[in-house]
Short mmCIF file of all heavy atoms in Angstrom, two decimals:
data_model
loop_
_atom_site.label_atom_id
_atom_site.label_comp_id
_atom_site.label_asym_id
_atom_site.label_seq_id
_atom_site.Cartn_x
_atom_site.Cartn_y
_atom_site.Cartn_z
N CYS A 78 18.53 65.28 10.35
CA CYS A 78 17.78 66.09 11.32
C CYS A 78 17.01 67.22 10.65
O CYS A 78 16.43 68.06 11.34
CB CYS A 78 18.72 66.67 12.38
SG CYS A 78 19.47 65.45 13.46
N VAL A 79 17.04 67.28 9.32
CA VAL A 79 16.37 68.31 8.51
C VAL A 79 16.61 69.70 9.08
O VAL A 79 15.69 70.48 9.30
CB VAL A 79 14.86 68.03 8.33
CG1 VAL A 79 14.65 66.82 7.46
CG2 VAL A 79 14.14 67.84 9.64
N THR A 80 17.88 70.02 9.33
CA THR A 80 18.25 71.31 9.92
C THR A 80 18.53 72.36 8.86
O THR A 80 17.90 73.42 8.83
CB THR A 80 19.48 71.14 10.83
OG1 THR A 80 19.19 70.18 11.83
CG2 THR A 80 19.82 72.46 11.48
N GLY A 81 19.51 72.10 7.99
CA GLY A 81 19.84 73.08 6.97
C GLY A 81 21.12 73.84 7.20
O GLY A 81 21.54 74.61 6.34
N THR A 207 10.20 69.82 4.10
CA THR A 207 10.90 69.24 5.25
C THR A 207 11.50 70.30 6.16
O THR A 207 12.15 69.97 7.16
CB THR A 207 12.02 68.29 4.78
OG1 THR A 207 12.97 69.02 3.99
CG2 THR A 207 11.46 67.14 3.98
N ASN A 208 11.27 71.57 5.83
CA ASN A 208 11.77 72.69 6.66
C ASN A 208 13.28 72.64 6.83
O ASN A 208 13.81 72.91 7.92
CB ASN A 208 11.08 72.69 8.03
CG ASN A 208 9.68 73.27 8.00
OD1 ASN A 208 9.22 73.90 8.93
ND2 ASN A 208 8.99 73.04 6.89
N THR A 209 13.99 72.29 5.78
CA THR A 209 15.45 72.15 5.86
C THR A 209 16.16 73.44 5.46
O THR A 209 16.96 73.98 6.23
CB THR A 209 15.94 70.99 4.99
OG1 THR A 209 15.23 69.81 5.35
CG2 THR A 209 17.43 70.76 5.19
N SER A 312 11.42 77.61 11.40
CA SER A 312 12.08 76.35 11.05
C SER A 312 12.34 76.21 9.57
O SER A 312 12.93 75.23 9.14
CB SER A 312 11.29 75.12 11.53
OG SER A 312 12.09 73.97 11.52
N GLY A 313 11.91 77.18 8.75
CA GLY A 313 12.08 77.05 7.30
C GLY A 313 13.52 77.06 6.84
O GLY A 313 13.94 76.21 6.07
N GLY A 314 14.29 78.05 7.29
CA GLY A 314 15.72 78.06 7.00
C GLY A 314 16.13 78.83 5.76
O GLY A 314 17.33 78.99 5.52
N MET A 335 12.59 80.85 16.64
CA MET A 335 13.22 79.58 16.31
C MET A 335 13.07 78.59 17.46
O MET A 335 12.83 77.40 17.24
CB MET A 335 14.70 79.79 16.00
CG MET A 335 14.98 80.52 14.71
SD MET A 335 16.73 80.49 14.21
CE MET A 335 17.51 81.33 15.60
N THR A 344 7.78 68.40 10.36
CA THR A 344 9.17 68.46 9.93
C THR A 344 9.92 69.62 10.59
O THR A 344 11.12 69.76 10.39
CB THR A 344 9.24 68.62 8.40
OG1 THR A 344 8.53 69.79 8.01
CG2 THR A 344 8.62 67.42 7.70
N ALA A 345 9.20 70.44 11.35
CA ALA A 345 9.82 71.56 12.05
C ALA A 345 10.42 71.10 13.37
O ALA A 345 10.13 70.01 13.86
CB ALA A 345 8.80 72.67 12.29
N GLY A 346 11.26 71.96 13.95
CA GLY A 346 11.88 71.65 15.23
C GLY A 346 11.36 72.55 16.32
O GLY A 346 10.23 73.02 16.28
N GLY A 347 12.22 72.81 17.33
CA GLY A 347 11.84 73.66 18.44
C GLY A 347 11.06 72.92 19.50
O GLY A 347 10.88 71.70 19.44
N ILE A 419 20.68 78.10 18.72
CA ILE A 419 19.23 77.88 18.71
C ILE A 419 18.79 77.40 17.34
O ILE A 419 17.90 76.54 17.22
CB ILE A 419 18.48 79.17 19.12
CG1 ILE A 419 18.78 79.52 20.57
CG2 ILE A 419 16.98 79.01 18.91
CD1 ILE A 419 18.09 80.76 21.07
N SER A 420 19.40 77.92 16.28
CA SER A 420 19.09 77.45 14.94
C SER A 420 19.39 75.96 14.79
O SER A 420 18.64 75.22 14.15
CB SER A 420 19.89 78.25 13.90
OG SER A 420 19.61 77.80 12.60
N ALA A 421 20.48 75.51 15.42
CA ALA A 421 20.82 74.09 15.39
C ALA A 421 19.85 73.28 16.23
O ALA A 421 19.33 72.24 15.77
CB ALA A 421 22.25 73.88 15.88
N PHE A 422 19.58 73.73 17.44
CA PHE A 422 18.67 72.99 18.33
C PHE A 422 17.27 72.88 17.72
O PHE A 422 16.64 71.82 17.77
CB PHE A 422 18.59 73.67 19.69
CG PHE A 422 17.47 73.15 20.56
CD1 PHE A 422 17.61 71.94 21.23
CD2 PHE A 422 16.28 73.86 20.69
CE1 PHE A 422 16.57 71.44 22.01
CE2 PHE A 422 15.25 73.37 21.47
CZ PHE A 422 15.40 72.16 22.13
N ALA A 423 16.78 73.98 17.16
CA ALA A 423 15.43 74.00 16.61
C ALA A 423 15.39 73.54 15.15
O ALA A 423 14.35 73.64 14.51
CB ALA A 423 14.85 75.42 16.71
N THR A 424 16.50 73.03 14.64
CA THR A 424 16.63 72.52 13.27
C THR A 424 16.09 73.52 12.25
O THR A 424 15.31 73.18 11.37
CB THR A 424 15.92 71.16 13.11
OG1 THR A 424 14.51 71.32 13.25
CG2 THR A 424 16.44 70.15 14.12
N VAL A 425 16.52 74.79 12.38
CA VAL A 425 16.07 75.85 11.49
C VAL A 425 16.96 75.94 10.25
O VAL A 425 16.50 75.85 9.12
CB VAL A 425 16.03 77.20 12.22
CG1 VAL A 425 15.60 78.32 11.26
CG2 VAL A 425 15.08 77.13 13.40
N GLY A 426 18.25 76.14 10.47
CA GLY A 426 19.17 76.20 9.34
C GLY A 426 19.67 77.58 9.00
O GLY A 426 20.55 77.73 8.15
N THR A 446 24.03 69.17 19.13
CA THR A 446 22.88 70.03 19.43
C THR A 446 21.75 69.77 18.45
O THR A 446 20.57 69.71 18.84
CB THR A 446 23.29 71.51 19.36
OG1 THR A 446 24.41 71.74 20.23
CG2 THR A 446 22.14 72.41 19.77
N MET A 447 22.06 69.60 17.17
CA MET A 447 21.04 69.28 16.18
C MET A 447 20.38 67.95 16.49
O MET A 447 19.15 67.80 16.38
CB MET A 447 21.66 69.25 14.77
CG MET A 447 22.05 70.60 14.22
SD MET A 447 22.52 70.54 12.47
CE MET A 447 24.04 69.59 12.53
N PHE A 448 21.19 66.97 16.87
CA PHE A 448 20.66 65.64 17.19
C PHE A 448 19.70 65.72 18.36
O PHE A 448 18.61 65.14 18.33
CB PHE A 448 21.82 64.68 17.50
CG PHE A 448 21.38 63.27 17.77
CD1 PHE A 448 21.15 62.40 16.73
CD2 PHE A 448 21.20 62.83 19.07
CE1 PHE A 448 20.74 61.10 16.97
CE2 PHE A 448 20.79 61.54 19.33
CZ PHE A 448 20.57 60.67 18.28
N GLY A 450 18.01 68.29 19.35
CA GLY A 450 16.82 69.03 18.99
C GLY A 450 15.86 68.22 18.15
O GLY A 450 14.64 68.33 18.31
N ARG A 451 16.38 67.41 17.24
CA ARG A 451 15.51 66.66 16.35
C ARG A 451 14.93 65.41 17.00
O ARG A 451 13.78 65.07 16.80
CB ARG A 451 16.26 66.27 15.07
CG ARG A 451 15.42 65.53 14.05
CD ARG A 451 14.17 66.33 13.69
NE ARG A 451 13.29 65.61 12.81
CZ ARG A 451 12.04 65.95 12.56
NH1 ARG A 451 11.50 66.99 13.14
NH2 ARG A 451 11.30 65.24 11.73
#
Side-chain angles (χ1 to χ4, degrees):
C78 294
V79 291
T80 303
T207 61
N208 281 214
T209 306
S312 196
M335 290 191 299
T344 57
I419 294 180
S420 179
F422 168 78
T424 67
V425 178
T446 305
M447 289 189 292
F448 183 84
R451 183 55 185 166

